[in-house]
Amino acid sequence: MEKIGKTPENIDIEELIRTLTKINEIPEEGLDKLKVAVLEEYETYWQGKRK
């Protein structure tokens, strides 16, 4: 995601989750929690890169 320079507000979380589920087995009931966690971590990562 860094290569294309998307801010946390501009990422397509559904596309990202589809990509993650292609390479990781993620139970259906855990997808909502995963979305929240990924967005929170990406925000933290993004803020660190901007410093």
PDB file of all heavy atoms in Angstrom, residues 8-28:
ATOM      1  N   PRO A   8      -4.734   6.211   5.154  1.00  0.00           N
ATOM      2  CA  PRO A   8      -5.695   5.299   5.784  1.00  0.00           C
ATOM      3  C   PRO A   8      -7.134   5.599   5.398  1.00  0.00           C
ATOM      4  O   PRO A   8      -7.950   4.693   5.305  1.00  0.00           O
ATOM      5  CB  PRO A   8      -5.464   5.533   7.277  1.00  0.00           C
ATOM      6  CG  PRO A   8      -4.038   5.958   7.361  1.00  0.00           C
ATOM      7  CD  PRO A   8      -3.812   6.782   6.119  1.00  0.00           C
ATOM      8  N   GLU A   9      -7.436   6.857   5.139  1.00  0.00           N
ATOM      9  CA  GLU A   9      -8.800   7.226   4.747  1.00  0.00           C
ATOM     10  C   GLU A   9      -9.133   6.772   3.330  1.00  0.00           C
ATOM     11  O   GLU A   9     -10.297   6.667   2.961  1.00  0.00           O
ATOM     12  CB  GLU A   9      -8.997   8.745   4.831  1.00  0.00           C
ATOM     13  CG  GLU A   9      -8.842   9.318   6.218  1.00  0.00           C
ATOM     14  CD  GLU A   9      -7.378   9.556   6.599  1.00  0.00           C
ATOM     15  OE1 GLU A   9      -6.527   9.704   5.713  1.00  0.00           O
ATOM     16  OE2 GLU A   9      -7.101   9.567   7.801  1.00  0.00           O
ATOM     17  N   ASN A  10      -8.109   6.533   2.516  1.00  0.00           N
ATOM     18  CA  ASN A  10      -8.337   6.230   1.104  1.00  0.00           C
ATOM     19  C   ASN A  10      -8.100   4.780   0.718  1.00  0.00           C
ATOM     20  O   ASN A  10      -8.211   4.445  -0.454  1.00  0.00           O
ATOM     21  CB  ASN A  10      -7.452   7.124   0.235  1.00  0.00           C
ATOM     22  CG  ASN A  10      -7.858   8.566   0.333  1.00  0.00           C
ATOM     23  OD1 ASN A  10      -9.032   8.874   0.464  1.00  0.00           O
ATOM     24  ND2 ASN A  10      -6.898   9.455   0.307  1.00  0.00           N
ATOM     25  N   ILE A  11      -7.774   3.923   1.686  1.00  0.00           N
ATOM     26  CA  ILE A  11      -7.577   2.532   1.305  1.00  0.00           C
ATOM     27  C   ILE A  11      -8.924   1.852   1.129  1.00  0.00           C
ATOM     28  O   ILE A  11      -9.921   2.234   1.724  1.00  0.00           O
ATOM     29  CB  ILE A  11      -6.699   1.757   2.315  1.00  0.00           C
ATOM     30  CG1 ILE A  11      -7.379   1.633   3.670  1.00  0.00           C
ATOM     31  CG2 ILE A  11      -5.332   2.360   2.427  1.00  0.00           C
ATOM     32  CD1 ILE A  11      -6.664   0.661   4.595  1.00  0.00           C
ATOM     33  N   ASP A  12      -8.944   0.857   0.285  1.00  0.00           N
ATOM     34  CA  ASP A  12     -10.145   0.056   0.062  1.00  0.00           C
ATOM     35  C   ASP A  12     -10.030  -1.165   0.964  1.00  0.00           C
ATOM     36  O   ASP A  12      -9.376  -2.154   0.616  1.00  0.00           O
ATOM     37  CB  ASP A  12     -10.246  -0.337  -1.406  1.00  0.00           C
ATOM     38  CG  ASP A  12     -11.485  -1.157  -1.719  1.00  0.00           C
ATOM     39  OD1 ASP A  12     -12.153  -1.645  -0.777  1.00  0.00           O
ATOM     40  OD2 ASP A  12     -11.779  -1.321  -2.913  1.00  0.00           O
ATOM     41  N   ILE A  13     -10.637  -1.097   2.137  1.00  0.00           N
ATOM     42  CA  ILE A  13     -10.492  -2.163   3.124  1.00  0.00           C
ATOM     43  C   ILE A  13     -11.030  -3.485   2.598  1.00  0.00           C
ATOM     44  O   ILE A  13     -10.473  -4.542   2.881  1.00  0.00           O
ATOM     45  CB  ILE A  13     -11.130  -1.781   4.482  1.00  0.00           C
ATOM     46  CG1 ILE A  13     -10.768  -2.818   5.565  1.00  0.00           C
ATOM     47  CG2 ILE A  13     -12.622  -1.623   4.368  1.00  0.00           C
ATOM     48  CD1 ILE A  13      -9.321  -2.912   5.888  1.00  0.00           C
ATOM     49  N   GLU A  14     -12.079  -3.447   1.793  1.00  0.00           N
ATOM     50  CA  GLU A  14     -12.632  -4.698   1.247  1.00  0.00           C
ATOM     51  C   GLU A  14     -11.619  -5.367   0.320  1.00  0.00           C
ATOM     52  O   GLU A  14     -11.440  -6.583   0.356  1.00  0.00           O
ATOM     53  CB  GLU A  14     -13.958  -4.440   0.536  1.00  0.00           C
ATOM     54  CG  GLU A  14     -15.058  -3.915   1.440  1.00  0.00           C
ATOM     55  CD  GLU A  14     -15.381  -4.827   2.615  1.00  0.00           C
ATOM     56  OE1 GLU A  14     -15.315  -6.063   2.456  1.00  0.00           O
ATOM     57  OE2 GLU A  14     -15.696  -4.297   3.695  1.00  0.00           O
ATOM     58  N   GLU A  15     -10.959  -4.577  -0.508  1.00  0.00           N
ATOM     59  CA  GLU A  15      -9.939  -5.125  -1.407  1.00  0.00           C
ATOM     60  C   GLU A  15      -8.775  -5.687  -0.601  1.00  0.00           C
ATOM     61  O   GLU A  15      -8.254  -6.765  -0.898  1.00  0.00           O
ATOM     62  CB  GLU A  15      -9.444  -4.045  -2.360  1.00  0.00           C
ATOM     63  CG  GLU A  15      -8.369  -4.515  -3.305  1.00  0.00           C
ATOM     64  CD  GLU A  15      -7.846  -3.407  -4.208  1.00  0.00           C
ATOM     65  OE1 GLU A  15      -8.423  -2.311  -4.230  1.00  0.00           O
ATOM     66  OE2 GLU A  15      -6.846  -3.663  -4.893  1.00  0.00           O
ATOM     67  N   LEU A  16      -8.360  -4.971   0.411  1.00  0.00           N
ATOM     68  CA  LEU A  16      -7.264  -5.423   1.257  1.00  0.00           C
ATOM     69  C   LEU A  16      -7.624  -6.735   1.964  1.00  0.00           C
ATOM     70  O   LEU A  16      -6.820  -7.668   2.004  1.00  0.00           O
ATOM     71  CB  LEU A  16      -6.908  -4.344   2.285  1.00  0.00           C
ATOM     72  CG  LEU A  16      -5.774  -4.659   3.242  1.00  0.00           C
ATOM     73  CD1 LEU A  16      -4.491  -5.003   2.499  1.00  0.00           C
ATOM     74  CD2 LEU A  16      -5.548  -3.493   4.182  1.00  0.00           C
ATOM     75  N   ILE A  17      -8.817  -6.834   2.491  1.00  0.00           N
ATOM     76  CA  ILE A  17      -9.252  -8.052   3.168  1.00  0.00           C
ATOM     77  C   ILE A  17      -9.324  -9.212   2.176  1.00  0.00           C
ATOM     78  O   ILE A  17      -8.916 -10.339   2.494  1.00  0.00           O
ATOM     79  CB  ILE A  17     -10.598  -7.837   3.894  1.00  0.00           C
ATOM     80  CG1 ILE A  17     -10.431  -6.838   5.036  1.00  0.00           C
ATOM     81  CG2 ILE A  17     -11.173  -9.152   4.400  1.00  0.00           C
ATOM     82  CD1 ILE A  17      -9.445  -7.230   6.117  1.00  0.00           C
ATOM     83  N   ARG A  18      -9.805  -8.969   0.967  1.00  0.00           N
ATOM     84  CA  ARG A  18      -9.829 -10.033  -0.051  1.00  0.00           C
ATOM     85  C   ARG A  18      -8.419 -10.545  -0.315  1.00  0.00           C
ATOM     86  O   ARG A  18      -8.195 -11.749  -0.428  1.00  0.00           O
ATOM     87  CB  ARG A  18     -10.463  -9.528  -1.354  1.00  0.00           C
ATOM     88  CG  ARG A  18     -11.962  -9.519  -1.341  1.00  0.00           C
ATOM     89  CD  ARG A  18     -12.552  -9.287  -2.730  1.00  0.00           C
ATOM     90  NE  ARG A  18     -12.111  -8.054  -3.353  1.00  0.00           N
ATOM     91  CZ  ARG A  18     -12.681  -6.863  -3.174  1.00  0.00           C
ATOM     92  NH1 ARG A  18     -13.715  -6.750  -2.354  1.00  0.00           N
ATOM     93  NH2 ARG A  18     -12.231  -5.793  -3.792  1.00  0.00           N
ATOM     94  N   THR A  19      -7.467  -9.642  -0.403  1.00  0.00           N
ATOM     95  CA  THR A  19      -6.078 -10.033  -0.630  1.00  0.00           C
ATOM     96  C   THR A  19      -5.552 -10.842   0.550  1.00  0.00           C
ATOM     97  O   THR A  19      -4.911 -11.877   0.363  1.00  0.00           O
ATOM     98  CB  THR A  19      -5.200  -8.788  -0.858  1.00  0.00           C
ATOM     99  OG1 THR A  19      -5.696  -8.080  -1.988  1.00  0.00           O
ATOM    100  CG2 THR A  19      -3.749  -9.175  -1.083  1.00  0.00           C
ATOM    101  N   LEU A  20      -5.824 -10.372   1.756  1.00  0.00           N
ATOM    102  CA  LEU A  20      -5.352 -11.083   2.941  1.00  0.00           C
ATOM    103  C   LEU A  20      -5.961 -12.476   3.041  1.00  0.00           C
ATOM    104  O   LEU A  20      -5.284 -13.421   3.449  1.00  0.00           O
ATOM    105  CB  LEU A  20      -5.676 -10.286   4.203  1.00  0.00           C
ATOM    106  CG  LEU A  20      -4.871  -9.009   4.402  1.00  0.00           C
ATOM    107  CD1 LEU A  20      -5.416  -8.215   5.585  1.00  0.00           C
ATOM    108  CD2 LEU A  20      -3.394  -9.316   4.602  1.00  0.00           C
ATOM    109  N   THR A  21      -7.228 -12.615   2.674  1.00  0.00           N
ATOM    110  CA  THR A  21      -7.867 -13.926   2.787  1.00  0.00           C
ATOM    111  C   THR A  21      -7.407 -14.884   1.693  1.00  0.00           C
ATOM    112  O   THR A  21      -7.584 -16.096   1.829  1.00  0.00           O
ATOM    113  CB  THR A  21      -9.406 -13.815   2.777  1.00  0.00           C
ATOM    114  OG1 THR A  21      -9.833 -13.150   1.584  1.00  0.00           O
ATOM    115  CG2 THR A  21      -9.907 -13.079   3.999  1.00  0.00           C
ATOM    116  N   LYS A  22      -6.797 -14.373   0.648  1.00  0.00           N
ATOM    117  CA  LYS A  22      -6.230 -15.250  -0.376  1.00  0.00           C
ATOM    118  C   LYS A  22      -4.963 -15.935   0.136  1.00  0.00           C
ATOM    119  O   LYS A  22      -4.664 -17.046  -0.261  1.00  0.00           O
ATOM    120  CB  LYS A  22      -5.889 -14.454  -1.638  1.00  0.00           C
ATOM    121  CG  LYS A  22      -7.083 -14.053  -2.446  1.00  0.00           C
ATOM    122  CD  LYS A  22      -6.648 -13.263  -3.657  1.00  0.00           C
ATOM    123  CE  LYS A  22      -7.852 -12.740  -4.426  1.00  0.00           C
ATOM    124  NZ  LYS A  22      -7.444 -11.893  -5.551  1.00  0.00           N
ATOM    125  N   ILE A  23      -4.222 -15.240   0.992  1.00  0.00           N
ATOM    126  CA  ILE A  23      -2.948 -15.786   1.462  1.00  0.00           C
ATOM    127  C   ILE A  23      -2.986 -16.255   2.915  1.00  0.00           C
ATOM    128  O   ILE A  23      -2.034 -16.837   3.388  1.00  0.00           O
ATOM    129  CB  ILE A  23      -1.802 -14.766   1.264  1.00  0.00           C
ATOM    130  CG1 ILE A  23      -2.103 -13.455   1.972  1.00  0.00           C
ATOM    131  CG2 ILE A  23      -1.549 -14.529  -0.210  1.00  0.00           C
ATOM    132  CD1 ILE A  23      -0.975 -12.425   1.895  1.00  0.00           C
ATOM    133  N   ASN A  24      -4.095 -15.998   3.600  1.00  0.00           N
ATOM    134  CA  ASN A  24      -4.262 -16.412   4.994  1.00  0.00           C
ATOM    135  C   ASN A  24      -5.653 -16.982   5.182  1.00  0.00           C
ATOM    136  O   ASN A  24      -6.628 -16.436   4.675  1.00  0.00           O
ATOM    137  CB  ASN A  24      -4.124 -15.207   5.940  1.00  0.00           C
ATOM    138  CG  ASN A  24      -2.762 -14.581   5.856  1.00  0.00           C
ATOM    139  OD1 ASN A  24      -1.799 -15.132   6.319  1.00  0.00           O
ATOM    140  ND2 ASN A  24      -2.692 -13.421   5.226  1.00  0.00           N
ATOM    141  N   GLU A  25      -5.740 -18.063   5.941  1.00  0.00           N
ATOM    142  CA  GLU A  25      -7.057 -18.618   6.242  1.00  0.00           C
ATOM    143  C   GLU A  25      -7.646 -17.834   7.405  1.00  0.00           C
ATOM    144  O   GLU A  25      -7.115 -17.842   8.517  1.00  0.00           O
ATOM    145  CB  GLU A  25      -6.940 -20.093   6.615  1.00  0.00           C
ATOM    146  CG  GLU A  25      -8.276 -20.758   6.775  1.00  0.00           C
ATOM    147  CD  GLU A  25      -8.159 -22.247   6.980  1.00  0.00           C
ATOM    148  OE1 GLU A  25      -7.256 -22.861   6.403  1.00  0.00           O
ATOM    149  OE2 GLU A  25      -8.985 -22.776   7.722  1.00  0.00           O
ATOM    150  N   ILE A  26      -8.721 -17.122   7.132  1.00  0.00           N
ATOM    151  CA  ILE A  26      -9.362 -16.271   8.138  1.00  0.00           C
ATOM    152  C   ILE A  26     -10.821 -16.705   8.256  1.00  0.00           C
ATOM    153  O   ILE A  26     -11.557 -16.668   7.272  1.00  0.00           O
ATOM    154  CB  ILE A  26      -9.270 -14.789   7.754  1.00  0.00           C
ATOM    155  CG1 ILE A  26      -7.805 -14.387   7.610  1.00  0.00           C
ATOM    156  CG2 ILE A  26      -9.976 -13.911   8.784  1.00  0.00           C
ATOM    157  CD1 ILE A  26      -7.559 -13.062   6.957  1.00  0.00           C
ATOM    158  N   PRO A  27     -11.230 -17.112   9.457  1.00  0.00           N
ATOM    159  CA  PRO A  27     -12.629 -17.537   9.631  1.00  0.00           C
ATOM    160  C   PRO A  27     -13.592 -16.385   9.334  1.00  0.00           C
ATOM    161  O   PRO A  27     -13.319 -15.230   9.661  1.00  0.00           O
ATOM    162  CB  PRO A  27     -12.711 -17.924  11.106  1.00  0.00           C
ATOM    163  CG  PRO A  27     -11.312 -18.059  11.580  1.00  0.00           C
ATOM    164  CD  PRO A  27     -10.464 -17.213  10.677  1.00  0.00           C
ATOM    165  N   GLU A  28     -14.704 -16.702   8.716  1.00  0.00           N
ATOM    166  CA  GLU A  28     -15.714 -15.699   8.346  1.00  0.00           C
ATOM    167  C   GLU A  28     -16.124 -14.848   9.545  1.00  0.00           C
ATOM    168  O   GLU A  28     -16.279 -13.634   9.433  1.00  0.00           O
ATOM    169  CB  GLU A  28     -16.933 -16.414   7.759  1.00  0.00           C
ATOM    170  CG  GLU A  28     -18.012 -15.491   7.238  1.00  0.00           C
ATOM    171  CD  GLU A  28     -17.629 -14.805   5.939  1.00  0.00           C
ATOM    172  OE1 GLU A  28     -16.864 -15.381   5.156  1.00  0.00           O
ATOM    173  OE2 GLU A  28     -18.120 -13.682   5.721  1.00  0.00           O
TER     174      GLU A  28
END
